[in-house]
Amino acid sequence: MNVMAKAEKKISSAFIYFFGSFGGILFGYDIGVMTGALPFLQADWHLENAASLVGWITSAVMFGAIFGGALAGQLSDKFGRRKMILMSAIVFMVFSVLSGVSPDMGEASAYYLIIVRMLLGLAVGAASALVPAYMSEMAPAKARGRLSGLNQTMIVSGMLLSYVVDFLLKDLPGEWAWRLMLGLAAVPALILFLGVLRLPESPRFLLRKGDEAQARKVLSYIRKNPADIDQELASIKETAKEERQANQKTSWSTLFSGKYRYLVIAGVGVAAFQQFQGANAIFYYIPLIVQKATGQAASSNLMWPIVQGIILVIGSLVYMWIADKFNRRTLLMVGGAVMGLSFILPAVINWVMPNMNPMTIVVFLCIYVAFYSFTWAPLTWVLVGEIFPLAIRGRASGLASSFNWIGSWLVGLIFPIMTASMPQEAVFAIFGIICILGVIFVKTCVPETRGHTLEEIEDQGTNRGRVKASNPEN
């Protein structure tokens, strides 16, 4: 025990926060890596005309993530955040390698890769849920507000890293290129595993298990003021007590009772719109989009994902600068409106000017990514974290996350099918209309959370429920 304590005490808060951030890099790398691998995989396995298989291979990770996040949340309450992050890293490593060594068995290879990537998705969903939760429980209260922006920055940095790796490997023989791109995802997973091995367990989990002495010891490693430790322990105990009482009094049906329905619809709706607006269609398929627009081979267009990645990183930094200067609703509505127009205008221009430069659509996609990166991308999870009352927070947050992953999976699945049957401009115009519907949804259904306490936000939902109850025709 003394050896463990000495080993743990050497761990700095910077080390803990770095590996919390590194979890975001791992998540982002896997989101982005298929962008560059897909053109080579299509050519190697002759899948150019197999839109549904391409959609399933790309979206299989998101399908697995739908279940991975929910499963990891429940298991982490039983076994601890740290152990489940370690387990997720192992699963990630194993199935990344298995993706890279996929056997070449004709059409059966595609089904093998789909299944392997679904299992990989369990780890992706788990990491996306566990790492921010662990970080929020380790960080001091004054730093938690910045963690959402920092986590988003690390995710898009991971995406940019994967785009750069894809670009560097593009001149390898086709079969080796996509296999190395997918297999190298095991490297950041290994780094995460080795780093988390040295981390202590979350004080909140330790207290929940009745180990107050160890929780105090862990807090002593990352808090400088002993008085802060006593105050934080008391706060954690009180919050845990309130959550136990809330969980005993609530069920899934409670989410849609008159008192909470307004806030649940708002939070889950924003999480769903974030994905159904089509951002992942760009992130997963930008080389194929450029190929269809210009006729150039997708494998020669791997600079475009890097451009998108740079825009995403810059946008995430812009968000961290403006996050507390503008209302959440204002940023979401402005961002959604510009995103919608960025999708709709190429279709309008192409209709008016049939000889439109084919790269026009790519320029508009860059505008979309820029506004998405500092509005809907980070703000969705800021709002979801603020909008749900304590009594329903666990279930409602899980529901919002599930709808977000469902949207991500469906967009990844259906985009190649849609572009195989209609012009690209028309497909993006459909996503543009969804963006505009998202703006209307925010305007009419989402309360402002910036500058309001959680209690004030809950009162908005309660008052809205009362109004609806007294005016059922509304």
Side-chain angles (χ1 to χ4, degrees):
M1 181 65 72
N2 290 334
V3 175
M4 277 290 290
K6 289 179 181 177
E8 289 180 347
K9 197 158 187 176
K10 294 179 182 178
I11 301 171
S12 67
S13 58
F15 184 92
I16 292 172
Y17 302 149
F18 172 81
F19 277 99
S21 301
F22 202 89
I25 290 177
L26 175 68
F27 177 32
Y29 184 95
D30 198 76
I31 290 177
V33 70
M34 185 53 80
T35 304
L38 191 59
F40 298 98
L41 175 63
Q42 278 186 296
D44 189 29
W45 285 357
H46 308 292
L47 299 176
E48 291 86 350
N49 298 316
S52 60
L53 278 179
V54 169
W56 268 108
I57 290 172
T58 303
S59 65
V61 165
M62 289 80 80
F63 185 80
I66 296 170
F67 307 98
L71 184 63
Q74 295 179 26
L75 292 176
S76 69
D77 286 340
K78 183 176 182 180
F79 298 109
R81 312 322 186 212
R82 177 181 171 275
K83 287 182 180 177
M84 290 308 302
I85 293 173
L86 288 171
M87 183 60 67
S88 299
I90 292 173
V91 173
F92 203 105
M93 280 188 282
V94 170
F95 288 104
S96 293
V97 172
L98 289 178
S99 297
V101 297
S102 299
D104 195 346
M105 305 179 296
E107 190 171 299
S109 301
Y111 295 110
Y112 165 90
L113 189 55
I114 289 168
I115 293 171
V116 167
R117 283 179 56 77
M118 282 183 184
L119 295 171
L120 176 62
L122 294 175
V124 172
S128 69
L130 289 170
V131 173
Y134 177 83
M135 284 291 291
S136 68
E137 293 177 6
M138 297 297 284
K142 63 182 180 181
R144 286 178 190 144
R146 295 193 299 271
L147 281 177
S148 177
L150 177 60
N151 189 52
Q152 177 66 21
T153 299
M154 293 302 104
I155 290 172
V156 296
S157 296
M159 293 173 67
L160 177 58
L161 174 64
S162 73
Y163 297 150
V164 171
V165 169
D166 289 348
F167 183 80
L168 293 175
L169 297 177
K170 68 181 177 65
D171 293 326
L172 291 175
E175 179 181 358
W176 283 102
W178 70 264
R179 291 182 183 278
L180 274 175
M181 291 171 186
L182 298 184
L184 283 175
V187 175
L190 176 61
I191 295 173
L192 177 66
F193 178 84
L194 295 175
V196 174
L197 273 179
R198 297 192 61 222
L199 299 187
E201 183 52 87
S202 152
R204 185 183 180 114
F205 174 78
L206 292 169
L207 269 181
R208 181 177 291 179
K209 293 301 180 182
D211 194 349
E212 183 172 342
Q214 186 65 17
R216 180 180 293 275
K217 186 180 293 185
V218 172
L219 282 174
S220 72
Y221 305 153
I222 53 179
R223 304 289 187 269
K224 295 180 179 179
N225 191 336
D228 290 343
I229 295 174
D230 292 331
Q231 183 178 355
E232 188 163 347
L233 283 172
S235 176
I236 293 172
K237 288 180 183 177
E238 181 62 28
T239 301
K241 180 181 177 181
E242 291 175 0
E243 287 181 345
R244 282 195 299 270
Q245 293 173 345
N247 289 334
Q248 290 171 358
K249 296 177 182 178
T250 61
S251 63
W252 284 105
S253 62
T254 309
L255 300 186
F256 302 99
S257 66
K259 180 178 180 180
Y260 299 121
R261 185 187 304 122
Y262 168 54
L263 296 177
V264 170
I265 291 174
V268 173
V270 168
F273 267 111
Q274 185 205 42
Q275 292 298 337
F276 283 109
Q277 289 168 335
N280 279 348
I282 302 173
F283 303 147
Y284 296 136
Y285 297 111
I286 184 63
L288 300 180
I289 292 169
V290 177
Q291 174 181 287
K292 192 158 187 176
T294 65
Q296 300 172 355
S299 57
S300 66
N301 289 315
L302 296 188
M303 181 57 73
W304 280 105
I306 296 178
V307 172
Q308 305 289 346
I310 292 171
I311 294 172
L312 283 169
V313 171
I314 294 173
S316 71
L317 297 175
V318 169
Y319 167 74
M320 293 178 71
W321 177 53
I322 68 171
D324 296 321
K325 298 180 181 180
F326 297 94
N327 285 343
R328 317 285 194 230
R329 296 171 78 248
T330 301
L331 287 174
L332 287 173
M333 287 189 288
V334 170
V338 176
M339 287 155 54
L341 289 174
S342 298
F343 275 162
I344 294 171
L345 284 177
V348 174
I349 294 172
N350 188 58
W351 178 61
V352 175
M353 302 169 54
N355 295 322
M356 174 186 78
N357 187 319
M359 288 303 292
T360 302
I361 189 171
V362 181
V363 173
F364 276 104
L365 292 186
C366 290
I367 296 172
Y368 174 100
V369 171
F371 276 81
Y372 175 81
S373 67
F374 68 85
T375 58
W376 280 83
L379 274 171
T380 294
W381 300 113
V382 173
L383 192 141
V384 166
E386 295 172 334
I387 202 169
F388 298 131
L390 178 64
I392 61 168
R393 189 171 301 152
R395 286 186 172 92
S397 297
L399 187 65
S401 179
S402 293
F403 269 83
N404 188 263
W405 279 115
I406 290 169
S408 178
W409 165 58
L410 285 174
V411 169
L413 175 64
I414 68 174
F415 180 77
I417 299 173
M418 293 173 70
T419 55
S421 59
M422 64 178 78
Q424 269 191 157
E425 293 83 359
V427 175
F428 284 120
I430 293 171
F431 285 130
I433 293 170
I434 295 174
C435 290
I436 301 302
L437 292 176
V439 172
I440 296 171
F441 178 82
V442 171
K443 176 71 175 176
T444 58
C445 299
V446 178
E448 181 56 55
T449 60
R450 173 176 169 262
H452 294 282
T453 66
L454 297 180
E455 290 73 23
E456 290 171 343
I457 297 168
E458 183 171 352
D459 285 343
Q460 292 186 61
T462 301
N463 294 336
R464 183 71 169 249
R466 287 172 183 158
V467 170
K468 290 288 185 182
S470 60
N471 298 282
E473 69 276 7
N474 293 332

